[in-house]
Amino acid sequence: YQRRVHGDPYRETFRRDFPNGGIGIVEMLFRCNILALVGGGKTPCFPPTKVMLWDDHQIAPIGELSFRSEVRAVKLRRDKIVVVVDQNVYLYTFDKLEMVHKYDTALNPKGIVSLSPASNGAVLACPAIQKGVVRVTNLTSAEEQFVLAHESQLSYLVLNNDGTRLATASEKGTLIRIYDTTGKPFMIKEVRRGTHYTEIYSISFSSDSRFLVVSSGKATIHIFDLGDQTQATQHHEEGDPRNRKSTFGFLGGISTYFSSEWSFAWFKGPDVPSICAFGTDNSVLVVAANGQFLRLGFDPDKGGEMEIRESNSFAVSPLGRS
C-alpha cells in the first residue's frame, strides 16, 4: 500500500491499498494528487519497466510510460517528467507524455539524477558517460555543461531549488563538492564528511541554499554551512561559512586533508540507511529504513550537536495498521 505522511509536524494524512502487489518507487508532484508509481518487490503491482502516472482523486492511472529495462528513478515537475534506467535518462513533457530528449549515461543502477523544482529554474543534472562527470542541462535554453566532479564514480548528486547550485559525492563518500551552475560551472566549496569510505544516502540543500545536510553509511548526519549565497562570485567563496576546520590547517599545503572544512552541525544515528531534508524552524527531517522518523533541531548560529525535537515510527500506522 501507499501512505502519505506530513513531515512537519509528523502525521499520516492518507493511505491507499494496492492489494495486487508491491510498489517500488513513489514520486509525488509537489503536494498534489498526481503520483508516479513503479512496481517493486517479489510480486510487483505494476511492471518494474513501466511508470504509471496515478491520479489519487480518480483512484486510477491517467497515463503510462514503458521501457525496455527496469526503471531506477522518476522525477516530476509541472511541465516535465524524468525517467532513469540503467544507462539512459529520458525527458518527457508532462501534458502530452512526449519524449523530448534521451541522454546517455554511465551505468547508473542507483538512478542518480536531480531535477530542480522551481518554476524559474528548469535544470537537469545526471551522470555523463565518463566516470565522475556530471551533465548539467538548462531545460529552458537547452544549454549543456559538463562538470568533472570526481575522479571515481559518482554516488550522489543534487541540485538546489532553482538549479543554481549542484552538490556531488563520489563512491568514496568522503568529500562533498558544491558547484555554481549559473554559467560555466565552477567549484565554490569542498567539504569533508569524514576520512573513511562509506555510501552517501542523501544530500539536500536548505531552501535558501545556506546549508547542506548529508546522511551516510557511517550513521551520522552532517550539516555544512555554505555561507551567504548573495556574496558568492566566481572569485570569492560563499560569505562567512562557519564549518569546523583542522587545528593543523597551516599544513594545508602538504595535504588537502589538513585544510578541509568539517560539518557545522551533526547528529549520531540512526544506524540504518536514511534520507534527510530541511524542515521549518531550523530543523532537519530524517526518514530511516527501520521505519523511524526524526525531526532534529540545530542552532543556525552556533552549530554543534543537533537535538531530537520529535520522534515517531511510520512502521506502525496511527490509522491502526502496520
Side-chain angles (χ1 to χ4, degrees):
Y1 56 87
Q2 170 240 140
R3 293 166 60 187
R4 191 178 304 169
V5 175
H6 189 282
D8 196 4
Y10 178 92
R11 69 179 185 276
E12 181 173 326
T13 60
F14 187 77
R15 171 192 301 275
R16 174 74 60 205
D17 286 312
F18 290 90
N20 297 326
I23 302 294
I25 297 174
V26 179
E27 184 75 13
M28 179 182 289
L29 177 61
F30 296 101
R31 296 177 65 180
C32 76
N33 56 296
I34 303 299
L35 307 169
L37 305 177
V38 180
K42 293 181 179 180
T43 55
C45 183
F46 307 111
T49 56
K50 285 188 176 183
V51 176
M52 309 298 295
L53 293 176
W54 181 271
D55 187 329
D56 226 33
H57 286 172
Q58 299 182 28
I59 317 178
I62 56 174
E64 66 178 64
L65 299 168
S66 298
F67 303 89
R68 295 181 178 179
S69 58
E70 186 174 341
V71 174
R72 300 300 186 180
V74 184
K75 298 295 180 184
L76 304 177
R77 49 178 286 145
R78 290 188 174 90
D79 55 346
K80 299 289 190 298
I81 302 173
V82 171
V83 181
V84 182
V85 297
D86 277 342
Q87 290 186 287
N88 297 107
V89 172
Y90 294 88
L91 176 66
Y92 292 85
T93 60
F94 206 112
D95 53 355
K96 297 181 179 179
L97 300 185
E98 293 179 344
M99 190 177 76
V100 178
H101 210 291
K102 174 185 176 183
Y103 303 95
D104 295 330
T105 71
L107 187 62
N108 187 14
K110 294 176 64 176
I112 300 168
V113 72
S114 186
L115 179 66
S116 63
S119 58
N120 62 341
V123 180
L124 171 68
C126 64
I129 297 176
Q130 299 87 354
K131 181 174 64 175
V133 177
V134 181
R135 179 199 302 266
V136 180
T137 305
N138 185 313
L139 300 180
T140 303
S141 65
E143 181 182 4
E144 286 190 344
Q145 303 279 359
F146 292 88
V147 180
L148 178 54
H150 301 273
E151 294 181 358
S152 54
Q153 296 287 359
L154 294 166
S155 174
Y156 205 94
L157 62 83
V158 66
L159 293 161
N160 66 349
N161 187 54
D162 60 4
T164 58
R165 295 289 185 269
L166 168 72
T168 68
S170 77
E171 60 187 359
K172 295 180 180 179
T174 55
L175 298 173
I176 313 296
R177 290 173 176 154
I178 299 93
Y179 296 86
D180 184 306
T181 62
T182 54
K184 182 177 175 57
F186 60 94
M187 188 171 70
I188 54 179
K189 187 173 290 296
E190 178 183 88
V191 294
R192 180 172 289 276
R193 180 214 53 80
T195 56
H196 297 99
Y197 292 3
T198 192
E199 182 178 359
I200 299 297
Y201 294 139
S202 72
I203 305 175
S204 182
F205 287 92
S206 60
S207 59
D208 61 359
S209 300
R210 173 75 192 238
F211 297 106
L212 192 76
V213 62
V214 178
S215 63
S216 74
K218 289 297 183 181
T220 304
I221 294 166
H222 298 274
I223 293 179
F224 298 93
D225 182 4
L226 303 184
D228 184 354
Q229 299 298 295
T230 62
Q231 298 184 33
T233 69
Q234 188 161 356
H235 304 291
H236 178 70
E237 276 200 347
E238 312 294 65
D240 188 34
R242 292 157 296 174
N243 300 312
R244 294 172 297 155
K245 296 184 178 181
S246 170
T247 55
F248 296 97
F250 62 92
L251 296 175
I254 299 175
S255 170
T256 57
Y257 171 84
F258 293 111
S259 58
S260 295
E261 292 190 29
W262 299 72
S263 57
F264 167 73
W266 59 90
F267 178 80
K268 188 64 177 176
D271 195 20
V272 293
S274 63
I275 57 175
C276 303
F278 286 95
T280 58
D281 299 324
N282 303 315
S283 67
V284 169
L285 309 181
V286 183
V287 177
N290 62 357
Q292 187 178 20
F293 171 88
L294 297 173
R295 187 161 67 93
L296 308 175
F298 70 96
D299 188 323
D301 297 316
K302 299 179 181 178
E305 188 170 4
M306 289 184 272
E307 62 178 8
I308 298 177
R309 294 181 181 173
E310 184 180 2
S311 178
N312 280 284
S313 175
F314 57 86
V316 178
S317 168
L319 298 184
R321 291 179 55 183
S322 60

